[in-house]
Amino acid sequence: MVIVITGPIASGKSTVARELARELERTPMRVAVIDLDLLYEMLAADSPKSDPATWTLARHAAAILVNTFSEAGVGAVIAEGSFNTPGDRAAFARHLRTGVEPLYVTLRVSFEEALRRAQSDPSRGLSRDPRFLGPYFAAVGRTLAAVPATDIVIDTARTTATSAASAIANRVRAEASN
């Protein structure tokens, strides 16, 4: 199973991914989590996260990791990061060899809640600035308005990470039993 958790900045992608991994490991199932931001940072150490070519390469690397983990017998691989646009998803899927269609989970959150979360997280950089986050949300909002019907869509301002992970895990278990 390949699960891709996407959504805007500060929507809870990392938090939901960790909770989902814990939930699935109770089954018991071997689970791996891939953080797209960390892959980007490996490719462009201290530069701003704004180079589209580096993001494409990071998505390629994420797919290779998915392949490697799947071939090693990991039961579920969770990739979390910006897989919002059809092009983002294509750059990732083009390199998958698992033969499994990824399950996409799109997280939603309001700008106000994302800003509150970002500003309360000292590890965040530019995303704490409303002059950056506001235009980003305006642009990504248009993309997220056209989420494919096959995605699981979760509003993380209204749902806890634990509840979101439980809902995703239930869907994964249902698909695994078919």
Side-chain angles (χ1 to χ4, degrees), residues 70-87:
S70 295
E71 291 164 6
V74 174
V77 182
I78 304 164
E80 63 93 354
S82 179
F83 297 90
N84 295 323
T85 71

Side-chain angles (χ1 to χ4, degrees), residues 29-152:
M29 176 186 293
R30 284 185 70 195
V31 180
V33 178
I34 300 166
D35 183 331
L36 192 64
D37 285 346
L38 293 178
L39 293 176
Y40 187 99
E41 289 170 10
M42 291 171 68
L43 295 164
D46 291 326
S47 62
K49 295 181 183 174
S50 58
D51 179 35
T54 304
W55 280 116
T56 299
L57 185 56
R59 289 181 189 93
H60 179 166
I64 290 171
L65 281 171
V66 168
N67 296 335
T68 302
F69 289 139
S70 295
E71 291 164 6
V74 174
V77 182
I78 304 164
E80 63 93 354
S82 179
F83 297 90
N84 295 323
T85 71
D88 296 343
R89 293 176 183 205
F92 175 69
R94 182 172 26 258
H95 301 286
L96 288 177
R97 295 189 317 258
T98 63
V100 174
E101 185 69 27
L103 171 63
Y104 284 93
V105 177
T106 297
L107 303 182
R108 295 199 177 187
V109 68
S110 69
F111 164 74
E112 295 76 18
E113 177 62 13
L115 181 61
R116 186 195 66 74
R117 290 175 184 180
Q119 289 183 333
S120 67
D121 181 352
S123 70
R124 292 194 179 265
L126 191 57
S127 64
R128 298 176 78 184
D129 184 346
R131 292 173 303 213
F132 166 79
L133 199 59
Y136 165 83
F137 256 78
V140 80
R142 291 186 290 277
T143 300
L144 293 176
V147 170
T150 53
D151 282 21
I152 296 174

